[in-house]
Amino acid sequence: MRPRFTVLAALATGIGLGLAGCGQQPAVTSHARQEGLATVSASEADPTSAWAEAYCGAAGGLVRTLAALPSVDPSTPQQASRTSSELMLSVVEGLDRTSAALENLGPAPVAGADSSRTAAVAQLGGIRARADDVRQRLDSSADPEATKTALRDARTSLDELDRLDLLRGLNDVPQLAAASSRIPVCQELVKQPR
């Protein structure tokens, strides 16, 4: 069960075009998918379902952030660099919001869920640090080679987000996996392409 991020494929293509404008061949983009999210409350009488629903809500926040990322303008290397930096800033802010939402869930009602959440937050923190590093390099780079490297790294960060499986934390705990299978907001995150 993994959220699908369609917008990342298009953005990675934009960054690839920016790299092409710098004389760099774009790499093959990954295929991702964006899904809409429903909001339905879990039963207040079931703390496991309520916690799973809040966890999915936090993951859905990242999906919504990624769906609204700014476009990359590959018309010139300078534009590709500037707009990629703006995109990376949006990624960093979205990761910050999602990490905070996960951290603020409160104690998990079942054993193993807190360690899964901690692992997810740590994974988000690693991606965030790399995305922010890329953003800073894009902002400060005056050298065309350094810009190309930063653009490649921006693309790598987007590919890393595409592979992100925030819902693994739920699947690793049987009670949460069972609860999430009944919660529409969780199921919306894992809808497969039609």
Side-chain angles (χ1 to χ4, degrees):
M1 177 155 75
R2 193 182 119 195
R4 310 302 267 156
F5 306 130
T6 337
V7 72
L8 295 179
L11 293 171
T13 300
I15 289 174
L17 291 172
L19 282 171
C22 294
Q24 176 74 23
Q25 285 293 338
V28 176
T29 61
S30 59
H31 298 286
R33 179 174 165 81
Q34 167 196 347
E35 293 291 338
L37 300 176
T39 54
V40 174
S41 293
S43 168
E44 300 250 343
D46 181 8
T48 302
S49 291
W51 199 88
E53 182 178 38
Y55 189 102
C56 291
L62 183 58
V63 171
R64 286 186 298 277
T65 293
L66 297 175
L69 287 176
S71 299
V72 174
D73 178 357
S75 61
T76 67
Q78 295 79 17
Q79 279 296 96
S81 180
R82 184 185 63 72
T83 56
S84 293
S85 173
E86 292 169 358
L87 180 143
M88 297 312 289
L89 177 60
S90 294
V91 166
V92 166
E93 291 170 345
L95 290 167
D96 285 343
R97 281 189 300 274
T98 300
S99 292
L102 288 172
E103 289 171 341
N104 291 326
L105 287 178
V110 295
D114 283 323
S115 62
S116 292
R117 172 183 46 183
T118 300
V121 169
Q123 185 179 19
L124 290 175
I127 295 170
R128 185 233 184 264
R130 288 182 291 280
D132 197 43
D133 173 65
V134 168
R135 182 194 58 78
Q136 290 175 20
R137 287 187 288 136
L138 286 166
D139 287 346
S140 65
S141 178
D143 173 50
E145 281 305 309
T147 299
K148 281 196 277 189
T149 300
L151 286 170
R152 267 194 308 273
D153 292 345
R155 183 184 185 119
T156 300
S157 290
L158 293 177
D159 288 342
E160 189 176 11
L161 277 171
D162 184 38
R163 292 186 303 271
L164 182 63
D165 186 359
L166 278 180
L167 298 183
R168 180 176 175 204
L170 292 179
N171 290 334
D172 288 347
V173 179
Q175 298 96 321
L176 291 175
S180 70
S181 71
R182 299 183 302 269
I183 299 170
V185 70
C186 295
Q187 293 307 300
E188 286 295 317
L189 288 170
V190 296
K191 276 188 178 176
Q192 295 301 312
R194 295 172 208 232

